[in-house]
Amino acid sequence: MSVEIEQSSARMRLPAGLGGLLPALTLIGLFFVVPVLALLLRSVTDPAPGLQNYAALLGDGTYARVFFNTFLVAFVVTVVTVLVAFPVAWMLAIMPPALASLLFGIIILSMWTNLLTRTYAWMVLLQRTGVINRALMAIGITDQPLPLINNLTGVTIGMVYIMLPFMILPLVGTLRAIDPMTLRAAALCGASPLAAFRRILLPLSLPGIAAGGLMVFVMSLGYFVTPALLGGTSNMMLAEMIAQMIQSLLNWGLGSAAAFILLVVTMALYALQLRLVGSKRPAGGA
């Protein structure tokens, strides 16, 4: 009898290592899985059971424009962030450690500043009478103020500034892992700086670019404050539309459907990134 009890308790015992993960799995279930399931349930039951909320979102031209604008802004912000962050990350990777730590601290310090404060600061800088327009007119680049706010330009500038640390962080780690002797060997073999960058440095840095780019793109898809303040109603993004649906129109079903579509797209992009880049080791890596 005792042998049977021991065998039964052994079968009920958690696998090795799973007991320590139980608190984390519980938190994930309570704060991620349950809300997502509730969101999905509400999207197909409010105001009546069915897929009418998804049909309205995917079939209405107004909602389609918001979806298009959301992905356009996220794509533009990601591309510009990569172009700006790469030289900064390369500079941090090759400069002396003390100076690199100082500059790295300055970059990280911007993340500790309140997001709303930073966005309002860009509103002041980008307006027609702001510092940027006055400086451009003072040095003769333009003779009248440029429209830098309430359009895609303002949203891109504000979001790139906010997203830069999230792109620089993975890039610096990837670039520091690249052996400098690889580039020196390319130079000794007669490769031009452009060829060395295109055929050696860029392929080796792709994991960092992919990780940072995915992070920036996904965060840009769900951003609310900066596009709402710098973009205006003509550049509405999906997060702002969801907020209006739920807070102003009390249309929980349509808002839940839009939020669930955004979640599915985000997870699909993450899976694609893992498939294309995540499982590959950099060429020439150890």
Side-chain angles (χ1 to χ4, degrees):
M1 185 67 179
S2 60
V3 175
E4 294 179 356
I5 295 177
E6 290 179 0
Q7 290 178 349
S8 177
S9 61
R11 285 193 297 266
M12 297 176 60
R13 194 176 301 133
L14 291 173
L18 188 58
L21 295 176
L22 192 58
L25 294 175
T26 303
L27 289 176
I28 292 175
L30 289 176
F31 295 104
F32 180 76
V33 177
V34 172
V36 168
L37 292 178
L39 191 73
L40 175 60
L41 182 63
R42 193 149 197 174
S43 69
V44 296
T45 58
D46 190 350
L51 300 176
Q52 64 274 3
N53 291 318
Y54 293 94
L57 284 173
L58 300 177
D60 191 298
T62 303
Y63 298 139
R65 180 175 178 82
V66 174
F67 274 97
F68 174 78
N69 187 65
T70 300
F71 284 94
L72 175 63
V73 170
F75 177 77
V76 172
V77 168
T78 302
V79 171
V80 176
T81 304
V82 171
L83 295 177
V84 175
F86 195 96
V88 177
W90 177 246
M91 179 183 65
L92 292 172
I94 63 176
M95 66 173 39
L99 183 57
S101 299
L102 176 62
L103 295 180
F104 201 76
I106 294 174
I107 293 173
I108 298 299
L109 187 63
S110 67
M111 300 174 63
W112 299 345
T113 308
N114 182 269
L115 175 63
L116 193 60
T117 302
R118 288 184 285 171
T119 304
Y120 274 121
W122 276 112
M123 292 179 64
V124 174
L125 292 173
L126 296 175
Q127 62 184 340
R128 296 180 64 86
T129 58
V131 175
I132 295 178
N133 266 316
R134 285 189 293 176
L136 292 176
M137 290 188 292
I139 61 181
I141 294 181
T142 179
D143 56 355
Q144 58 183 356
L146 298 176
L148 300 177
I149 199 171
N150 295 329
N151 50 32
L152 181 59
T153 303
V155 174
T156 301
I157 293 174
M159 291 185 64
V160 166
Y161 164 73
I162 294 170
M163 296 296 176
L164 269 177
F166 300 100
M167 178 64 72
I168 292 175
L169 286 173
L171 265 179
V172 169
T174 302
L175 293 173
R176 283 179 176 172
I178 298 175
D179 189 353
M181 294 302 298
T182 306
L183 298 176
R184 294 178 185 175
L188 291 175
C189 292
S192 64
L194 181 59
F197 170 78
R198 182 174 57 86
R199 303 188 63 178
I200 298 177
L201 185 60
L202 185 59
L204 291 176
S205 60
L206 278 181
I209 294 176
L214 177 67
M215 188 185 307
V216 170
F217 188 82
V218 168
M219 292 178 64
S220 299
L221 286 177
Y223 240 64
F224 171 72
V225 174
T226 305
L229 294 178
L230 296 179
T233 56
S234 60
N235 292 276
M236 179 180 291
M237 294 180 65
L238 190 57
E240 186 180 357
M241 186 184 76
I242 294 172
Q244 288 190 6
M245 286 179 179
I246 294 177
Q247 295 178 355
S248 302
L249 305 178
L250 299 179
N251 194 336
W252 283 86
L254 204 59
S256 300
F260 190 75
I261 290 176
L262 184 60
L263 176 63
V264 170
V265 171
T266 301
M267 299 300 292
L269 290 172
Y270 180 65
L272 181 64
Q273 188 262 351
L274 287 179
R275 182 176 181 83
L276 296 180
V277 181
S279 61
K280 297 179 181 179
R281 297 179 63 87

